[in-house]
Amino acid sequence: MLLGPESVVVLNRTGADVLGLCDGRRTVGDIVAELRERYHRVVDDEVRSFLAGLVARRYVEIGHG
């Protein structure tokens, strides 16, 4: 579950795993690769879309460095 200003987002297991891998060291590609190993069905576009939604809501930031 994510708590934000005047909002609550309930995550499913995969969403929670994505967020749990956002540690400031892994790239988006690293996260996709890790999830692909865990689930054998993760699609790159789905993870990127999920992260884009979190970025849009300011729950996470994606660095460009």
Side-chain angles (χ1 to χ4, degrees):
M1 180 177 0
L2 291 174
L3 299 175
E6 301 179 17
S7 67
V8 175
V9 176
V10 178
L11 301 171
N12 64 19
R13 180 178 173 180
T14 307
D17 284 350
V18 171
L19 189 60
L21 292 169
C22 294
D23 62 3
R25 294 174 299 179
R26 290 180 176 94
T27 66
V28 173
D30 293 339
I31 292 169
V32 170
E34 175 66 28
L35 293 170
R36 194 172 287 134
E37 282 186 35
R38 290 183 191 183
Y39 296 110
H40 306 288
R41 60 174 167 75
V42 172
V43 178
D44 183 58
D45 291 342
E46 292 173 352
V47 174
R48 290 179 187 280
S49 177
F50 177 74
L51 286 171
L54 293 179
V55 168
R57 292 174 183 88
R58 297 185 176 182
Y59 287 118
V60 298
E61 293 181 7
I62 295 179
H64 300 285

